[in-house]
């Protein structure tokens, strides 16, 4: 949700990511507009001497009435259980479906892919959105959501071309 900032551990993780990407040939940096994503992208962009581009299409899933609730509260809601069992057929109350989120992330990834053909870009997004993109490019159902783990400040490397896609790295965490 908006208004959530990185704490000291998150800022340290962002700095480690910036160091990790320092030797890479990165052509663009895109970030979700949410504060924690911007705060993660800024050190990376500074290290690469680029400006991060804010991209609404890679923001977090719109969770509607669930926004801001604790997992303890959500676990009492039967809709939350249904959402987590079948992401392909359920909607967050007053929010979006996983399919809608997948459509927006894949749509922007395809536009970025065409614009930056044969070049690397960094996207700073959120776990659910990253999983939605991966499931699409790996040809898996949204209901396989729970089979993927995307840690905070981790790196996932996906190569996509007209020939298809290949997952090179999932959940790389840069050690302190």
């Amino acid at each position: 949700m908006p208004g959530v900032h990185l704490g000291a551990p998150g800022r340290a993780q962002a700095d480690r990511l910036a160091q990790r990407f320092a030797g890479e040939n990165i052509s663009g940096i895109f970030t979700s507009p949410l504060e924690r994503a911007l705060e993660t992208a800024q050190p990376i962009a500074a290290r690469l001497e680029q400006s991060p581009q804010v991209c609404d299409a890679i923001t977090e899933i719109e969770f509607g009435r669930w926004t801001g609730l604790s997992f303890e509260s959500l676990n009492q809601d039967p809709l939350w259980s249904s959402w987590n069992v079948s992401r392909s057929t359920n909607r967050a109350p007053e929010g979006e479906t996983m399919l809608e989120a997948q459509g927006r992330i894949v749509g922007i990834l395809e536009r970025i892919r065409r614009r930056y053909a044969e070049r690397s870009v960094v996207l700073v997004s959120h776990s659910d959105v990253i999983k939605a993109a991966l499931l699409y490019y790996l040809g898996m159902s949204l209901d396989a959501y729970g089979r993927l783990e995307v840690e905070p400040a981790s790196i996932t490397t996906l190569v996509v071309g007209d020939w298809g896609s290949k997952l090179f790295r999932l959940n790389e965490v840069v050690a302190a």
Side-chain angles (χ1 to χ4, degrees):
M1 67 183 172
V4 177
H5 294 271
L6 294 180
R11 287 190 301 275
Q13 289 172 324
D15 288 340
R16 287 193 299 273
L17 285 171
Q19 291 171 14
R20 163 64 175 75
F21 284 116
E24 301 286 330
N25 185 16
I26 305 296
S27 296
I29 301 165
F30 298 85
T31 181
S32 158
L34 293 180
E35 292 88 341
R36 64 191 182 275
L38 284 164
E39 292 167 1
T40 302
Q42 287 165 341
I44 299 167
R47 185 72 177 245
L48 296 173
E49 299 179 348
Q50 296 185 33
S51 296
Q53 300 176 55
V54 174
C55 182
D56 291 334
I58 64 173
T59 195
E60 180 63 278
I61 292 175
E62 173 52 58
F63 284 105
R65 289 195 328 247
W66 289 338
T67 301
L69 296 179
S70 68
F71 286 116
E72 184 178 327
S73 295
L74 289 169
N75 286 332
Q76 306 305 311
D77 185 341
L79 291 174
W80 177 252
S81 296
S82 294
W83 164 262
N84 286 304
V85 168
S86 179
R87 292 281 175 116
S88 65
T89 60
N90 286 285
R91 173 184 299 278
E94 299 174 25
E96 69 183 329
T97 67
M98 193 76 165
L99 186 59
E100 290 166 339
Q102 186 181 60
R104 69 176 157 79
I105 184 66
V106 169
I108 194 63
L109 286 173
E110 287 299 309
R111 287 190 293 281
I112 290 169
R113 178 177 75 84
R114 286 189 295 276
R115 181 175 172 199
Y116 292 88
E118 305 298 321
R119 294 180 282 166
S120 296
V121 297
V122 170
L123 277 74
V124 180
S125 188
H126 309 277
S127 176
D128 285 342
V129 178
I130 295 167
K131 288 180 182 183
L134 288 171
L135 291 168
Y136 174 84
Y137 284 109
L138 295 174
M140 298 170 69
S141 163
L142 284 170
D143 294 333
Y145 167 89
R147 296 180 187 177
L148 301 176
E149 189 62 41
V150 176
E151 294 290 328
S154 66
I155 300 169
T156 296
T157 304
L158 182 68
V159 177
V160 181
D162 291 338
W163 47 267
S165 59
K166 184 181 270 191
L167 181 63
F168 277 87
R169 183 178 298 114
L170 176 65
N171 219 20
E172 174 190 345
V173 177
V174 182

